[in-house]
Amino acid sequence: MDWFGDHVWQTWLGVAFVLGVLELFSLDLILIMLAMGALVGMVAALLGVPVVLQVILAAVAALAALALARPSIARRMHGGPELALGHGKLVGQRGVVTQQVTALNAGRIKLAGEIWSAVPLDETVTIEPGEPVEVIEIRGATAVVYPISTPGV
């Protein structure tokens, strides 16, 4: 026990190091924030602060890092650019019918500057040219669409 009393800052550094290594396995940014608190405890030990106050400072620093820094860092790490690729990025977009769309005869729509073949989601619906539609799904080279506005409204 005397060794810890004589080497408090080294103990804090060891705790920070172990927490940092464990963070490499978890990657949830919690242990690294605790390691930051341990580094604050180490600095306090180097300045000759009593051990009880070192523990309090380390705990406050770790909690502050968890509450203030971790959420924004995690958001930046886990959030990224839109990864919809190919025709998948067309789902949810709106187009305009250029040729009548029915369940029996695929029509045509203008979508994202291109002409696509289209069928209605509801097989009982006929969508006339000029009507706006929303793309619900892409099946091969055919867009499955649903009219945005109802006739007569």
Side-chain angles (χ1 to χ4, degrees), residues 27 29 70-83:
L27 297 176
L29 300 176
R70 184 183 178 277
S72 64
I73 294 171
R75 193 171 27 258
R76 287 182 189 162
M77 284 182 59
H78 298 299
E82 179 64 36
L83 296 178

Side-chain angles (χ1 to χ4, degrees), residues 1-91:
M1 190 68 180
D2 279 339
W3 187 89
F4 287 114
D6 296 336
H7 300 92
V8 177
W9 74 269
Q10 290 98 332
T11 304
W12 282 114
L13 182 60
V15 169
F17 179 77
V18 169
L19 289 169
V21 170
L22 290 174
E23 177 63 37
L24 295 174
F25 295 106
S26 70
L27 297 176
D28 60 2
L29 300 176
I30 292 175
L31 297 176
I32 198 70
M33 299 300 161
L34 297 177
M36 289 177 170
L39 290 176
V40 169
M42 180 191 76
V43 171
L46 286 171
L47 295 174
V49 175
V51 176
V52 173
L53 190 54
Q54 292 172 26
V55 172
I56 292 171
L57 289 172
V60 168
L63 290 174
L66 283 169
L68 302 175
R70 184 183 178 277
S72 64
I73 294 171
R75 193 171 27 258
R76 287 182 189 162
M77 284 182 59
H78 298 299
E82 179 64 36
L83 296 178
L85 301 174
H87 63 265
K89 65 183 175 184
L90 298 174
V91 173

Side-chain angles (χ1 to χ4, degrees), residues 66-153:
L66 283 169
L68 302 175
R70 184 183 178 277
S72 64
I73 294 171
R75 193 171 27 258
R76 287 182 189 162
M77 284 182 59
H78 298 299
E82 179 64 36
L83 296 178
L85 301 174
H87 63 265
K89 65 183 175 184
L90 298 174
V91 173
Q93 288 194 7
R94 294 180 178 196
V96 176
V97 175
T98 59
Q99 181 184 358
Q100 186 182 55
V101 176
T102 66
L104 297 176
N105 295 320
R108 303 269 186 250
I109 62 168
K110 185 166 188 171
L111 175 65
E114 299 177 345
I115 301 296
W116 282 74
S117 62
V119 293
L121 178 66
D122 182 357
E123 295 178 359
T124 62
V125 172
T126 298
I127 309 170
E128 297 298 329
E131 287 189 47
V133 292
E134 182 175 341
V135 177
I136 305 300
E137 179 183 354
I138 301 287
R139 292 183 191 152
T142 303
V144 178
V145 297
Y146 192 80
I148 293 173
S149 60
T150 56
V153 176

